[in-house]
Amino acid sequence: MVFSTVDKQTGIDHYELAEKRSWFEVGNSRLNWQKAVSPAILTDQKLSSFVYVKAVDESGNYQIEVIHPINPSFPFQPYLFWGIIIMLVVGLAVLVFKLFLKRRHDKISP
């Protein structure tokens, strides 16, 4: 991977890279940042991971860019996850509603 940027005010101090395979694991707190120089060799040579590049300037400010996987291992993973969650919530709501109606009907019946 080749990367470059310019900071005309203070200058770039260093770059950091992080790779994550799963869409669900994105987020700066979970990333394992490693200092890097361009060009950098990626750990995931299959290009199925998200790659994060952080440019840090001399003042400590930083900018993060995300490069999406070229060959995702399972491209519909987020949709599948949220689809299952929605189906479970709807199913649970229907079940609770039916139990509520049954109890209400049992109380009204002589």
Side-chain angles (χ1 to χ4, degrees):
M1 169 173 237
V2 177
F3 45 88
S4 176
T5 189
V6 175
D7 185 339
K8 293 181 181 180
Q9 293 178 350
T10 60
I12 298 296
D13 181 53
H14 67 276
Y15 295 98
E16 297 178 18
L17 284 179
E19 297 178 56
K20 279 291 181 185
R21 247 180 221 284
S22 173
W23 183 84
F24 302 108
E25 296 176 352
V26 295
N28 297 340
S29 62
R30 295 185 184 166
L31 295 175
N32 184 19
W33 294 103
Q34 303 289 326
K35 283 194 176 185
V37 293
S38 182
I41 297 174
L42 299 176
T43 304
D44 178 16
Q45 290 294 300
K46 293 181 181 179
L47 304 177
S48 60
S49 297
F50 288 84
V51 179
Y52 297 81
V53 180
K54 182 193 294 187
V56 183
D57 69 9
E58 297 286 343
S59 299
N61 303 315
Y62 62 88
Q63 176 71 33
I64 298 174
E65 292 298 322
V66 181
I67 295 91
H68 293 267
I70 294 172
N71 301 316
S73 56
F74 190 56
F76 302 109
Q77 189 174 18
Y79 303 112
L80 178 65
F81 174 77
W82 288 112
I84 291 170
I85 295 296
I86 289 169
M87 287 180 3
L88 288 173
V89 168
V90 169
L92 185 62
V94 168
L95 181 65
V96 168
F97 183 71
K98 283 186 176 186
L99 289 172
F100 173 78
L101 286 180
K102 182 175 176 12
R103 281 192 165 184
R104 187 171 177 204
H105 179 21
D106 290 345
K107 285 183 180 180
I108 295 174
S109 298

